Amino acid sequence: SSGINAEYGQQQHQQQGGPPPPPPPPSQQYNNQNQINWEEVPDLNGFGQLLTPVMDTCTKDSILQARTWILGNANSSQQAWYVGQFLLYRAANPDASCRQRLHVLYLMNDCLHHAAKKHATDIIKALQCVVVAILFLAKQADSDGTYRPKFEKVLNIWEQNNYFEAATLEELQKCVNSRDYYQSSSVGVIQGNIQYSQQLLPHLLNPQPQQQGRQYNDQFFAGAQGREEAGARGGRGG
């Protein structure tokens, strides 16, 4: 999956005329906590306590509290990226229902609305990197199509407001509407992004005390950004 992510990211950069992104970090680097920039890691355990009621009940108050936390704690591209990865990590929990994953999408929708008003582009970009995977997970759990109208409704809002790039919106449409989407090349990219968050987040949530505060490896995060951009535009290479 790492190769797929790098391939799509490189294709996108070449189309835009820019240099290709660095390759994703080798798989063995997932276990090296020296490469996490701890100064940029927000309190994801604290955020998790706010995200649980969103996923379970999705009340207006729970959405407000979680959104306020995100807007207040994702103040850099790295912080926002960690938050986006955490949302994907929680949505990818095998025990999460379609309804709970839909509630994550509702939270993202609320964040997008307020981030756009505040011109908080780092948050929008970070959400763009995980939105296809989270929608894919939600749709995967919707075995009888009960929630499809809800997926379409939130997707229409995103299209009307142009929150995401055209390629991402196109991929979201395919995810909702294409019967053959599960057989597309996009799924390999999505699965790679899900696996990445599942390998990264346990280190962020359960850090070893001696690792915190150490200098991180710039190349690791640069490689992660390469994955991030590939994930946001996953289906273009199909």
Side-chain angles (χ1 to χ4, degrees):
S1 59
S2 295
I4 294 173
N5 278 284
E7 177 186 347
Y8 284 144
Q10 185 168 352
Q11 288 176 356
Q12 180 67 20
H13 275 252
Q14 288 172 345
Q15 289 170 6
Q16 294 176 345
S27 59
Q28 63 267 24
Q29 290 187 354
Y30 293 130
N31 297 319
N32 189 344
Q33 296 196 39
N34 287 338
Q35 294 155 336
I36 295 171
N37 184 1
W38 290 107
E39 292 182 358
E40 291 288 331
V41 178
D43 178 17
L44 295 175
N45 283 299
F47 176 50
Q49 295 177 9
L50 299 177
L51 183 58
T52 295
V54 170
M55 294 180 70
D56 289 346
T57 63
C58 202
T59 63
K60 288 184 178 180
D61 184 62
S62 65
I63 288 280
L64 172 62
Q65 290 192 46
R67 180 246 297 166
T68 301
W69 187 96
I70 291 174
L71 292 178
N73 290 275
N75 297 313
S76 71
S77 60
Q78 292 184 43
Q79 290 171 348
W81 182 77
Y82 286 132
V83 170
Q85 293 299 311
F86 181 69
L87 291 173
L88 176 54
Y89 174 75
R90 287 290 299 268
N93 186 318
D95 294 330
S97 66
C98 178
R99 180 170 167 268
Q100 288 174 317
R101 291 167 176 171
L102 176 67
H103 291 168
V104 175
L105 293 170
Y106 285 166
L107 171 61
M108 294 171 69
N109 180 63
D110 191 62
C111 287
L112 287 165
H113 172 72
H114 289 275
K117 289 199 299 185
K118 295 177 179 292
H119 305 288
T121 56
D122 288 334
I123 293 175
I124 296 173
K125 289 179 181 178
L127 296 180
Q128 178 174 254
C129 294
V130 297
V131 65
V132 176
I134 294 175
L135 178 61
F136 174 81
L137 287 164
K139 188 170 183 289
Q140 197 174 40
D142 185 28
S143 56
D144 59 359
T146 299
Y147 290 91
R148 178 172 173 171
K150 297 182 183 296
F151 299 148
E152 292 174 339
K153 183 176 180 179
V154 74
L155 181 52
N156 285 338
I157 294 172
W158 296 343
E159 289 179 332
Q160 290 169 10
N161 290 278
N162 289 313
Y163 287 141
F164 301 126
E165 296 176 2
T168 301
L169 292 171
E170 181 182 347
E171 197 65 27
L172 290 166
Q173 278 284 7
K174 289 179 183 177
C175 183
V176 171
N177 297 313
S178 174
R179 294 182 179 180
D180 300 326
Y181 190 78
Y182 296 100
Q183 300 173 356
S184 72
S185 59
S186 302
V187 174
V189 177
I190 290 169
Q191 291 173 340
N193 291 336
I194 292 170
Q195 182 182 21
Y196 181 80
S197 71
Q198 290 176 326
Q199 291 173 319
L200 173 69
L201 263 296
H203 297 307
L204 301 183
L205 297 172
N206 302 288
Q208 299 300 315
Q210 68 272 22
Q211 302 290 355
Q212 294 191 46
R214 292 190 181 181
Q215 189 172 6
Y216 75 113
N217 184 318
D218 285 281
Q219 186 174 359
F220 173 76
F221 186 73
Q225 286 182 313
R227 293 186 65 94
E228 169 186 315
E229 296 191 16
R233 307 175 176 93
R236 297 197 64 156

